[in-house]
Amino acid sequence: MRHAARRLAAATFLTLAPALGLTAEASSISPWWKHAVVLEVYPRSYADSNGDGVGDLNGITSHLDDVVSLGADTIWITPMYPSPQVDFGYDIADYQAVDPQYGSLADFDRMVAEAKKRHVHVVLDMVMNHTSDKNPWFVDSARSRTSAHADWYVWNDGVDVNAPGVTAFQKRYVHDGKVPPNNWQSMFGGTAWEWAPSRKQFYYHRFYPQQPDLNWRNPAVEKAMFGAIRFWLDRGVDGFRLDAISTLFEDTKLRNDPERGGTNPHGDPNLHYAYSDKLPEVHDVMRRLRKLVDAYPGDRVLIGETYEPTTEALVPWYGGKAQDELQLPMDMLPGFGWGTKFDAAWFRKHLEDAQVQLEGGTPLMAFDNHDNERSIDRYGDGKHDIDRAKVLAALLFMNRGVAMTYYGAPLGMTTSVPARKEDVRDPVGIANWPNDKGRDGERTPMQWTAGPQAGFSTNPATWLPVATNYSTVNVASELKDPQSLLQWYRTLIALRQDNPAIRDGRMVFVDRTNPDVLAWVREGEVPVLVAMNFSDKPRVLKTGLEAKTIHTLAASTPALSGAASLDGTTLPPFSAWVVSFTR
Ligand code: NOJ
């Protein structure tokens, strides 16, 4: 209720502000996205409204009340545009329509309208780096070297197979005596260059051959892509998650990416992507795109798929001090890699860095998405998976910044990797089996109920099988269990939405030398202490904080509900405690 009242107050302010000559910046009301709780929805897998075994937009619309019940205020929908679905939508054939498998534009408009009624923001995925090879732009481009779109993609004659400097890797791909012009690789394995007999040339594809890279050095490409972005902004979407933006540009001299030694899971040489990734030109595009979205009312947002190895490396994506590029480059580090483990000290360092290194930018953290093994499996130990997931949820929702989660994560849905190659749907798994079994495991149908197909579809032939644990891991069952992971998510998100200190308060870390406990205070009129024990042993919390009164807001285990002191309380193994206090 309080939450709804706050939204109403914000809406009233924004309506009156122009008349009063005020801007949102001039007031204490910050843009909505600064506090967003984003739920990533994979449309194929969320809810099937028409019984074809594949999720769709009407399915999403019919579950908007569940989004509200979870407490999320934003949904990011992965691509739902017409697509041959080679990469399940990340190969777009038409940027200004809806794939009939997912519904129609009318269904889309209805979904946005229903979301708005519930104060849920809608963020779309925008794939600017590449299109489908069935996109009419590419079909025309591949037709001949003189077609209207001839220069919309990255074409090259290749080099003579016997030319000096040609690597063994290049020599694997000979066509008409020619090999690719360099050693650049597809992220999905093998060379990034595909031979097109129609032009007797190679085209570049950072991902699948069916995903040719656009030539961003051609201004017509930017014009077309920005036109598509306007199309959806005009339809009322609140922003975009920008796919694979770091690879928009390639080196004009096509220099080889240096080898790092060893081979990757695809059996290809490990490379340092010096000439095929993060070229500086991308930032000019980001600045122009930011101007475009800023010209729209309602604080439209740009979220970036920005896998970076350090917090600092995210800064250029924000636009540095100027903060004139993406509002929310994703911080994928704690979620997805570079040696992260379930470790209090590691997370403390990372969260501290995010508070000070981003030039005032808002951090966005995520632990789960459609490309990576689910975090419950990555961070689980097989024995305390739910308890550990509760600790990570506290870390995600109680820190300052935007929190992003993925459908099923709040339930503890697990990764269900296909057992046989013939069951794999993701081409990454088909091409690289068994070294890389692909991403199907984290894309299985949403588990709504303990009924047939987990309530995802009436059709037993779902596009991927429903995970076997659905009879206990599902929304309906977990809503009935006060100790479930879902209830823990709901409690934390509600706090985050309604508690002023948790929404806006500065983060001050306490008990900083404790190797097993991560703890901080969110400052405010009524401050809040958040404490997590990352160890399998009880650990004593040493904050040095004195409090006149304390009030537990959330405890991952009932053992903590009666804890009476901010200093000296014993935190049970793998537990999290959120407590407000007065000084
Ligand atoms: C990142 C997306 O998240 C992934 O699913 C996709 O395969 C690649 N980009 C290529 O678009």
Side-chain angles (χ1 to χ4, degrees), residues 174-191:
V174 188
H175 296 275
D176 290 4
K178 297 281 180 57
V179 294
N182 59 23
N183 69 348
W184 293 353
Q185 288 172 6
S186 156
M187 298 306 288
F188 297 151
T191 181

Side-chain angles (χ1 to χ4, degrees), residues 33-34 301-304 306 318 326-330 362-364 402:
W33 49 260
K34 283 204 172 190
V301 69
L302 296 173
I303 301 175
T306 39
Y318 286 92
L326 312 180
Q327 293 99 326
L328 297 174
M330 287 183 197
T362 303
L364 179 159
V402 170

Side-chain angles (χ1 to χ4, degrees), residues 138-403:
F138 185 76
V139 173
D140 185 54
S141 192
R143 194 170 292 140
S144 86
R145 296 185 186 203
T146 54
S147 67
H149 296 84
D151 197 24
W152 279 45
Y153 293 81
V154 182
W155 291 97
N156 189 275
D157 291 341
V159 293
D160 194 282
V161 61
N162 295 316
V166 167
T167 63
F169 176 77
Q170 283 163 276
K171 283 186 186 167
R172 285 197 224 154
Y173 309 97
V174 188
H175 296 275
D176 290 4
K178 297 281 180 57
V179 294
N182 59 23
N183 69 348
W184 293 353
Q185 288 172 6
S186 156
M187 298 306 288
F188 297 151
T191 181
W193 296 93
E194 181 77 2
W195 179 252
S198 52
R199 282 179 61 145
K200 291 200 177 308
Q201 278 184 313
F202 291 95
Y203 66 84
Y204 176 67
H205 56 90
R206 180 77 175 179
F207 298 94
Y208 294 120
Q210 293 90 333
Q211 293 170 296
D213 269 50
L214 285 158
N215 172 16
W216 275 85
R217 299 189 189 279
N218 180 346
V221 165
E222 179 172 308
K223 196 164 170 234
M225 199 57 73
F226 281 16
I229 286 170
R230 280 205 186 86
F231 175 86
W232 296 105
L233 289 171
D234 291 338
R235 289 196 109 81
V237 310
D238 295 291
F240 298 93
R241 174 267 191 186
L242 303 175
D243 183 71
I245 31 165
S246 69
T247 55
L248 287 196
F249 288 87
E250 298 78 32
D251 180 40
T252 47
K253 294 190 186 132
L254 303 180
R255 280 169 282 193
N256 276 344
D257 278 335
E259 291 193 16
R260 288 193 285 122
T263 52
N264 63 22
H266 306 132
D268 304 327
N270 284 323
L271 299 180
H272 166 50
Y273 304 126
Y275 297 112
S276 57
D277 191 16
K278 296 181 196 163
L279 269 69
E281 293 89 324
V282 66
H283 294 288
D284 301 329
V285 176
M286 293 300 115
R287 274 190 291 275
R288 290 195 287 273
L289 182 56
R290 175 65 180 273
K291 280 208 177 106
L292 186 162
V293 298
D294 277 355
Y296 279 79
D299 293 316
R300 314 292 170 108
V301 69
L302 296 173
I303 301 175
E305 188 200 19
T306 39
Y307 281 96
E308 293 290 355
T310 62
T311 304
E312 241 180 343
L314 287 167
V315 172
W317 292 110
Y318 286 92
K321 281 200 189 344
Q323 295 281 313
D324 57 356
E325 297 189 29
L326 312 180
Q327 293 99 326
L328 297 174
M330 287 183 197
D331 177 357
M332 321 283 267
L333 191 51
F336 310 106
W338 289 285
T340 45
K341 41 186 201 246
F342 194 76
D343 180 290
W346 189 92
F347 278 109
R348 177 162 43 238
K349 164 89 176 68
H350 188 73
L351 289 171
E352 285 185 345
D353 287 351
Q355 300 311 304
V356 295
Q357 292 184 357
L358 296 178
E359 300 286 4
T362 303
L364 179 159
M365 195 186 276
F367 282 100
D368 286 278
N369 69 17
H370 61 285
D371 290 329
N372 293 280
E373 185 186 13
R374 286 183 177 271
S375 65
I376 193 158
D377 299 303
R378 269 182 289 124
Y379 284 101
D381 60 1
K383 277 199 208 146
H384 310 95
D385 293 358
I386 295 291
D387 292 340
R388 285 171 168 239
K390 285 183 176 176
V391 169
L392 287 185
L395 189 155
L396 177 65
F397 295 110
M398 296 297 101
N399 88 78
R400 188 187 69 84
V402 170

